[in-house]
Amino acid sequence: MFFITFEGIDQSGKSTQLKLLAAAMEKAGVPILSVREPGGTPLGEKIRGLLLGPEHTAMDPWTEALLYAAARVQLVKEVIKPALMEGKVVLSDRYIDSSLVYQGIARGLGVERILDLNLGATGGLMPDLTFVFHLDVDASRQRLAGRGTAEDRIESEPLEFHRMVEAGYRQLEELYPGRIVGLNGGETPEQVHARAVAAVNERLGFSL
Ligand code: TYD
């Protein structure tokens, strides 16, 4: 039915907010499916291993962009499109905007080229609504350090890379005001959730 995506830098709270919205929808009897990128299919999970393994230091930015797109195609065709056809609301932790920002902007491959690649690959499937969770890069690094687990290949990029990602999300928000709703990931999870619910009600006609 509707396709809703959750975007933002690491630790911005997007995954927590996805779970909270999923729970609110389930409580209201809305059929939902939650997915996360990269991965979510047998082939996609293998590609995820290639992408995030810290040992793949020699990966060219285009290899990276193509692998994210490849994992995405499998997820769209095997999981997302069938669920939408069944009338479900699909909630995805990251989607095309991650590629636009991480590969298009931060890696410098160009937003237009990455968009073309991904639109071709997915058959043009764009989200109905996208939440971008903004968080100061220093706060994100602090939360990451507090997590206590090892950093993956993208997380271990230098600070400057993460600043470009956060700035890139702000650029996208200006580019697509009709689709993207920016939220402040520095607020409490309850506050952010209330704003997300309000946006879903107002923009997609739910009464959660
Ligand atoms: P993941 O462990 O799922 O982290 P997160 O909780 O931040 O979503 O790792 C996904 C990483 O891959 C994340 O650092 C962002 C990056 N990424 C891209 O660079 N391009 C993409 O298209 C996607 C989907 C993710």
Side-chain angles (χ1 to χ4, degrees):
M1 186 174 27
F2 288 116
F3 183 29
I4 306 176
T5 59
F6 293 70
E7 297 278 355
I9 59 172
D10 306 311
Q11 307 299 311
S12 58
K14 65 183 168 47
S15 311
T16 304
Q17 290 302 325
L18 188 154
K19 287 193 195 109
L20 290 173
L21 190 62
M25 285 188 163
E26 271 177 336
K27 207 173 142 201
V30 178
I32 59 144
L33 177 77
S34 304
V35 295
R36 83 147 185 203
E37 281 208 2
T41 64
L43 186 51
E45 288 297 322
K46 289 199 172 162
I47 298 174
R48 179 184 177 86
L50 292 176
L51 279 164
L52 298 182
E55 69 277 20
H56 298 124
T57 46
M59 192 179 294
D60 183 87
W62 273 109
T63 307
E64 187 180 280
L66 290 163
L67 286 175
Y68 277 113
R72 181 165 299 130
V73 176
Q74 293 303 124
L75 187 66
V76 166
K77 302 219 166 131
E78 288 180 31
V79 181
I80 297 178
K81 276 196 180 158
L84 290 171
M85 297 289 287
E86 278 171 28
K88 289 186 178 150
V89 171
V90 178
L91 306 172
S92 185
D93 190 339
R94 298 194 180 278
Y95 188 62
I96 275 181
D97 297 299
S98 283
S99 286
L100 299 184
V101 168
Y102 284 79
Q103 282 68 51
I105 296 175
R107 295 282 193 224
L109 301 182
V111 171
E112 284 299 318
R113 287 200 284 184
I114 298 298
L115 182 62
D116 280 353
L117 167 72
N118 278 277
L119 286 179
T122 61
L125 180 70
M126 285 300 279
D128 298 293
L129 177 63
T130 297
F131 290 112
V132 169
F133 299 90
H134 295 293
L135 184 66
D136 179 67
V137 174
D138 296 316
S140 150
R141 296 282 99 184
Q142 260 172 24
R143 287 186 186 178
L144 205 59
R147 188 184 64 175
T149 48
E151 293 185 343
D152 64 42
R153 195 177 58 85
I154 305 276
E155 282 166 355
S156 57
E157 285 291 333
L159 211 57
E160 199 39 48
F161 180 86
H162 297 286
R163 289 200 204 287
M164 282 169 80
V165 169
E166 171 53 20
Y169 274 124
R170 291 193 185 273
Q171 252 170 270
L172 280 197
E173 200 182 317
E174 277 172 27
L175 217 64
Y176 303 111
R179 171 171 69 84
I180 299 183
V181 173
L183 296 172
N184 177 2
E187 291 186 327
T188 67
E190 295 73 26
Q191 284 170 324
V192 182
H193 176 59
R195 293 186 199 282
V197 165
V200 163
N201 288 344
E202 187 194 319
R203 294 190 178 222
L204 302 180
F206 284 91
S207 24
L208 299 178

